Each structure stands twice: as C-alpha cells, then as structure tokens.
Amino acid sequence: METILNILQKFSNIPQESLERFVRKLQETNIPKGGFLIREGEICDRLSFIQKGFVRSYYFKDNKDITISFSMQGEFIASMASFISQKPSYETIEALEHCHLYQISYQDLMDLFEKDSHLEHLYRLILEQYYVALEEHLIFSKFKTAKERYLELMENQPHIIQKAAVGQIASYLDMSLETLSRIRASI
Amino acid sequence: METILNILQKFSNIPQESLERFVRKLQETNIPKGGFLIREGEICDRLSFIQKGFVRSYYFKDNKDITISFSMQGEFIASMASFISQKPSYETIEALEHCHLYQISYQDLMDLFEKDSHLEHLYRLILEQYYVALEEHLIFSKFKTAKERYLELMENQPHIIQKAAVGQIASYLDMSLETLSRIRASI
DNA sequence: CTGATTTTTTGATTTTTATCAATAGTTCTC
DNA sequence: GAGAACTATTGATAAAAATCAAAAAATCAG
C-alpha cells in the first residue's frame, strides 16, 4: 500500500525535512462505514488524506441527494469551497466504507505554508492536478450521452461501480436511477 | 478601470516589491475581435490577464464547438490543463471582442515562484478561487433545469448574454440553440 | 435463518429536449 | 445599399430521459 509520503514525493522533489514537518502535523482518524467526514452546514477545517477507504461527497436538493464526487485511497478530500473560504459547507462527505484517514487542520496547514514555502509549492501542484481533474469531469459530462458516461466510468473508475449504490452513481452521472438501471441491463 | 495591481492586491497583502517583480515580466498584447489566444493542438505557454475584452473558451466535437467558459476583464485566462501540464491544448480560446491583455510566460512564472515564494502564495490563492468557481459551475449545471440555468445566467452574468451568440451560450448551458431560443421567447 | 427494510429492476406513460426543416432577421462585403 | 452569408426564431416530429408505479432481488437486524 502506498503511504502518504510516497504519494507526496511523486509531486515534487521537496526536501525530506519539509515532508517530515508536514507529516508531524497529521492526525490519524478512523471513520466507520456510514460515518461522516463533514456534514452540510459545518465548516470544513480539515484536509484529509485517504490512506484506506472510499468516500462520497454530495449535496442535498429537495429531499434527494446528488453525488458530486467519489474519492478513494491515495487521494485528498475536503469540502474544498468550505475549506478554502472557511465558511459553512454545502457539501456532505460520507464514508461508503471504513476509512483510515490522515488529517491536517486548516490552521496548521496555513502555519506550515508561512514557515515553509516548499509545502505551499507542493500544495499548489496538488491543487493544479485537482483543478485539471475537475475540468475534465465538467467537459466529460458535456460531451457524452448517458450510456457513454456510464461506459467511460466503467472503463476508468470501475471501483466506483463496485462500491457505490445505483442511485449514488446515477446522480453523479446526471441521470435518474431508473435510466442507469436500464443502461446496465442493456450492456 | 481596475488595473492588474489593484486586483492582485485584493488577494493578499503581498509585498509591493514582489508585485513589481511580477509586473515587470508582463507583456502587453492586443488581440483583435475574432483572433485567438490559443488554438487546439498548441501548448498554452502563457497566462493572460484580461485588462479589457471578452473571450470564449471551447472544445470541438464532431464539427460543432462546445463552450466551456466565458471570461471578461479583470480575470485570468489560460487553457489551464495545457498550461499546467505544458502539453497540447484541447481547448481553443477566441476573442469575442478586441482584447487588451497582459501575459506572462510559463517559464517566467515558474522562475518567479522559485525566487519569490510570495508570488507562488498569491498564485495559490487565485487558483483556489478558480477551483471554487469551477466547482460551483459543475454543481450549478447538475441542479437546474434548462430554463433555470438561463435565468440564473441572466441574473449573475448578463454581460455574457449581451455579448455572446445564442449558439455559444446554448452549448455553455448544455442545451440546443433552438431550446435556448424558445426559452428566450417564453420569458 | 427469517421477516423487514432497502435497493434494484422492469413496465407504462409523460415530459423534456433534440433534431430536422423552413422562414425571418441580422450583419458583412463589395 | 443590394445581395450573400450567417444567425436566430418558429414549427413539426422524433428521441431521450424523467416520473410514477409495482415487482423482484439483495441486505440487514434480531
């Protein structure tokens, strides 16, 4: 299994000392299946690295929920808009399976950035990757039909299909759960 | 009219010296209406600040084009995926009206970040704002009906409706131009 | 293990939106 | 300023997907 150190080292050849400074601020947390990393209305004051597990981030609309993203081990997750602005989150993030996380608080991270510009550099690189991924997701949903979107998800992120419920995947792919169920039957 | 200095100063209280270092690397460029900031297939090696003007960024699909975003004066624009990775762009960015730009090359920007961490800090803050805006756009398109999407655009970014063609706005809002035309007739 | 609850599938129908096609309006060029 | 080229509107129809409803399957709790 990849450690957080392995993953961070891939982003840039940042001094070992800086990485250690970062790792010292991490807190280990476990969230059981069905538990929450952040709930709508709370301020997201922690950035989490998923060491092991699988999470879903979603919004409420009327009394339904709409999936915004899925994240798995090796990825960072936070309600980004809330974390960045330190204002209440519109997003809820739940553990779809037991999660083993390493978390850093907003304040600790900002303090580290002031003390050590290598860490802000690293964060910048990670943020850029996440920006590009988000842009790709936006474009992907504009360009494809319902069936193509499902097939591409199967191709690129089969673990989502294994682990998430049909209704959760359907709203992620912008279709009703009945439509997704029919697409599944047709292939 | 707001200068680039005014806008940057809003993001953080970065030393004047750093700002001046950045501004010295900017190159002034004018792009006529209908001209291009970047074309599909080229590597986007410049980040542009729009001092005056209005641009549209789009992808080609089959022989049609699909609008990804509009940007106006006071905003930064680049084909971000290409700029970040320094690989060819899938995106084309055209000037919908005469544009007065300040541009910095990728290499100059990276060099500045190495020399002056205040500038990387500033860039990080700007990137965060753009990340949040992108996320909002993604969520917005998931939550609303065709008519709601148009009404919200009218409310929040009426300049787009003034300046862009119906077909360009329609693909931005994820609908056919006929549907948008009918929505316009109905309100 | 078994009944209860939740999730998924399937069917019938309606709604929404896309597509195709023709006309009207605008703007560009010479 | 007249004709050409492009853009927008309107109409008719088709296709895609949503909604409503019920049955089947899977999962959970005791």
Side-chain angles (χ1 to χ4, degrees), chain A residues 59-61 66-68 80-81 84 91 110 113 117 120-121 123-124 127-132 134-135 137-139 141-144 171-174, chain B residues 59-61 66-68 80-81 84 91 110 113 117 120-121 123-124 127-132 134-135 137-139 141-144 171-174:
Chain A
Y59 277 60
F60 289 103
K61 185 196 186 182
I66 296 183
T67 302
I68 301 301
M80 283 304 281
I84 288 169
E91 218 171 315
M110 295 306 122
F113 289 170
S117 63
E120 185 155 25
H121 173 74
Y123 177 84
R124 190 261 291 176
L127 192 62
E128 283 182 341
Q129 295 308 313
Y130 279 71
Y131 185 92
V132 170
L134 192 63
E135 206 177 65
H137 182 69
L138 181 80
I139 289 156
S141 43
K142 266 185 194 287
F143 272 68
K144 310 279 179 176
S171 66
Y172 180 63
L173 295 176
D174 251 324
Chain B
Y59 276 58
F60 288 103
K61 186 197 185 181
I66 297 183
T67 303
I68 301 301
M80 284 304 280
I84 288 170
E91 216 171 318
M110 295 307 121
F113 289 170
S117 63
E120 186 156 26
H121 173 74
Y123 178 83
R124 189 262 291 179
L127 192 62
E128 284 183 339
Q129 295 308 311
Y130 279 72
Y131 185 93
V132 170
L134 191 63
E135 205 176 67
H137 182 69
L138 181 80
I139 289 156
S141 43
K142 267 185 194 284
F143 272 68
K144 310 279 177 175
S171 66
Y172 180 63
L173 295 177
D174 251 322

Side-chain angles (χ1 to χ4, degrees), chain B residues 138-160:
Chain B
L138 181 80
I139 289 156
F140 158 81
S141 43
K142 267 185 194 284
F143 272 68
K144 310 279 177 175
T145 65
K147 188 166 181 174
E148 286 170 342
R149 295 200 296 279
Y150 182 71
L151 290 173
E152 199 153 314
L153 189 72
M154 254 179 86
E155 183 74 22
N156 298 334
Q157 290 167 289
H159 61 278
I160 291 179

Side-chain angles (χ1 to χ4, degrees), chain A residues 5-141:
Chain A
L5 270 169
N6 292 153
I7 297 211
L8 293 178
Q9 277 162 343
K10 276 187 200 161
F11 277 97
S12 79
N13 48 1
I14 177 178
Q16 193 64 23
E17 190 194 331
S18 298
L19 277 184
E20 282 164 11
R21 194 173 281 142
F22 174 73
V23 170
R24 274 200 297 278
K25 291 290 183 184
L26 292 175
Q27 290 190 310
E28 208 171 342
T29 315
N30 282 282
I31 308 234
K33 180 173 177 171
F36 296 93
L37 281 75
I38 172 91
R39 285 165 186 269
E40 185 188 14
E42 296 171 356
I43 291 173
C44 180
D45 67 347
R46 288 163 188 284
L47 178 67
S48 302
F49 175 82
I50 306 173
Q51 178 62 36
K52 182 135 187 43
F54 187 58
V55 307
R56 176 174 80 108
S57 134
Y58 58 92
Y59 277 60
F60 289 103
K61 185 196 186 182
D62 309 326
N63 23 17
K64 290 178 180 176
D65 61 65
I66 296 183
T67 302
I68 301 301
S69 72
F70 296 100
S71 307
M72 64 181 296
Q73 59 194 48
E75 296 180 325
F76 286 95
I77 180 74
S79 170
M80 283 304 281
S82 170
F83 185 75
I84 288 169
S85 65
Q86 289 294 293
K87 289 180 185 163
S89 174
Y90 294 110
E91 218 171 315
T92 295
I93 304 177
E94 74 167 315
L96 292 189
E97 50 184 47
H98 181 94
C99 284
H100 178 203
L101 307 175
Y102 292 107
Q103 299 187 310
I104 185 165
S105 77
Y106 179 78
Q107 199 51 58
D108 280 349
L109 191 65
M110 295 306 122
D111 290 348
L112 284 176
F113 289 170
E114 279 206 21
K115 278 186 241 152
D116 186 341
S117 63
H118 291 109
L119 289 172
E120 185 155 25
H121 173 74
L122 177 63
Y123 177 84
R124 190 261 291 176
L125 295 178
I126 294 171
L127 192 62
E128 283 182 341
Q129 295 308 313
Y130 279 71
Y131 185 92
V132 170
L134 192 63
E135 206 177 65
E136 269 171 15
H137 182 69
L138 181 80
I139 289 156
F140 159 81
S141 43

